[in-house]
Amino acid sequence: MDSVPSTDRGGIGYLPSAAETLMKLVVTGPFGVGKTTLIRTLSEIPTLHTEEAMTQSSTGLDDTAGLPEKTTTTVAVDFGRLTVQDDLVLYMFGTPGQERFFPLWEDIARGALGALVIVDTRRLEDSFAVMDMVEEQGLPYAVAVNRFPDAPAHADEVLRKHLDLDPRTPLVQCDARERRGSIDALIALAEHALTCLPAPQESS
Amino acid sequence: MTPGPGRRLIPAYLVTGGRSAPTGPALDRLAVLLRTDSALGPETGSEQRRLCELLEPGALTVVECAAHLELPVSATVFLATDLVAAGHLHARPPIPSAGEIDRSLVERLLVGLRSLH
Ligand SMILES: Nc1nc2c(ncn2[C@@H]2O[C@H](COP(=O)(O)OP(=O)(O)OP(=O)(O)O)[C@@H](O)[C@H]2O)c(=O)[nH]1
Ligand SMILES: [Mg+2]
């Protein structure tokens, strides 16, 4: 009879009724760089995932040589949620950076605020394809260097040079397991996304 | 062209590919789904029933429903579209809809993120 929120069975994490504005961003990067870890660090709900089917022609695919025409692969897309203000909720989607997932990537990234590209200094060149993909999509992005203990530490300028970053693209170093640094990475991305939007007085 | 009143018995994800154009734009991944108070009839399929039951206590986005039901997003969109048409669910598009991010929104996001420090 009354509208007190029902008990949340199984910790589903229903949306607060004030949550009116839903935004999203994409967390991407090569295999095993810490995408899921960063989302888990920031999410207020246990991270969830969907299995998405990808059908594609096998021509040119490394791992399916010799198989006929089409293959279907499923790929897990994990995501989390962060209530930023009472009525403003941010969704973070962890999308695989491999080029063959581009159609899926594009679909998820449509309407996103921007992308956070996570890189590992032990294999910077693995990030090039992802960065190309993000640029092709025209999404504002920031680069977050996830520091692994055995990874060589480099000054920002050295990393920027190796990654061939535009001077305006933010670069932050963080530990994806730590909340504060991960929030800083999101702030860097949001600040950059703001500068990519038309200036205030340019209406109509 | 008009589908009969009967429900399909094939799992939704097997038929999404061959489906005729849905009326109206497809539901966004972040569309918010809410259960209405309309009672489910015997025509409601078991997957549709699961979706309605999940939403009984509160609202969730399409992608969260997909994850909890262990269905692909495309299949969940398909189920939800039918349930909206039948009046069992209400779907609210996310604000902003794709491509409508403006400065005030990003500024609010920044204020919020900084306060989480
Ligand atoms: N030391 C350290 N380990 C980390 C950090 N971030 C992630 N890891 C570890 O690195 C491994 C990979 O992290 P994930 O978050 O699963 O990476 P991912 O990018 O989601 O990987 P895929 O989805 O498989 O591409 C896990 O074992 C993490 O515990 C970090 O900041 N520091
Ligand atoms: Mg992952």
Side-chain angles (χ1 to χ4, degrees), chain B residues 82-95:
Chain B
D82 279 359
L83 286 165
V84 168
H88 299 312
L89 294 185
H90 176 71
R92 182 164 64 67
I95 307 166

Side-chain angles (χ1 to χ4, degrees), chain A residues 6 9 12-15 19-22 24 45 48-52 79 81 84-85 87-88 91 107-108 111-113 180 183-184 187 190-191 194 197-198 200, chain B residues 29-30 32 53-54 57-61 63-64 66-68 72-73 92 94-96 98-99 101-103 105-117:
Chain A
S6 331
R9 16 158 223 157
I12 299 276
Y14 290 99
L15 275 170
E20 280 184 349
T21 307
L22 275 45
K24 67 176 167 184
I45 54 169
L48 295 169
H49 73 273
T50 55
E51 296 284 339
E52 307 288 343
F79 65 96
R81 192 176 93 194
V84 165
Q85 293 195 44
D87 62 337
L88 179 58
Y91 283 80
D107 186 52
I108 293 172
L113 168 78
R180 203 184 166 91
I183 286 181
D184 283 337
I187 291 174
E191 282 172 343
L194 190 59
L197 288 170
Chain B
R29 213 167 267 274
L30 289 186
V32 178
E53 279 163 12
L54 174 67
L60 288 172
T61 57
V63 72
E64 287 169 289
H68 288 299
V73 172
R92 182 164 64 67
I95 307 166
I101 294 175
D102 65 16
R103 297 186 68 89
L105 203 55
V106 183
E107 278 158 4
R108 282 214 292 134
L109 176 71
L110 274 167
V111 170
L113 286 173
R114 290 186 182 122
S115 75
L116 292 177
H117 252 164

Side-chain angles (χ1 to χ4, degrees), chain A residues 95-119:
Chain A
T95 52
Q98 289 86 336
E99 227 155 358
R100 60 203 168 106
F101 297 129
F102 191 51
L104 174 68
W105 202 100
E106 223 178 355
D107 186 52
I108 293 172
R110 194 171 303 121
L113 168 78
L116 190 64
V117 178
I118 305 190
V119 306

Side-chain angles (χ1 to χ4, degrees), chain B residues 34-84:
Chain B
L34 299 144
R35 178 79 172 93
T36 63
D37 48 18
S38 108
L40 302 179
E43 77 287 353
T44 310
S46 64
E47 296 289 86
Q48 293 180 327
R49 213 165 267 280
R50 282 175 69 217
L51 179 54
C52 288
E53 279 163 12
L54 174 67
L55 292 165
E56 217 64 70
L60 288 172
T61 57
V62 167
V63 72
E64 287 169 289
C65 292
H68 288 299
L69 298 179
E70 297 181 12
L71 289 171
V73 172
S74 56
T76 309
V77 164
F78 178 75
L79 292 172
T81 304
D82 279 359
L83 286 165
V84 168

Side-chain angles (χ1 to χ4, degrees), chain A residues 32-37 40 76 78 94:
Chain A
V33 285
K35 302 181 289 291
T36 304
T37 305
R40 194 179 299 127
D78 38 28

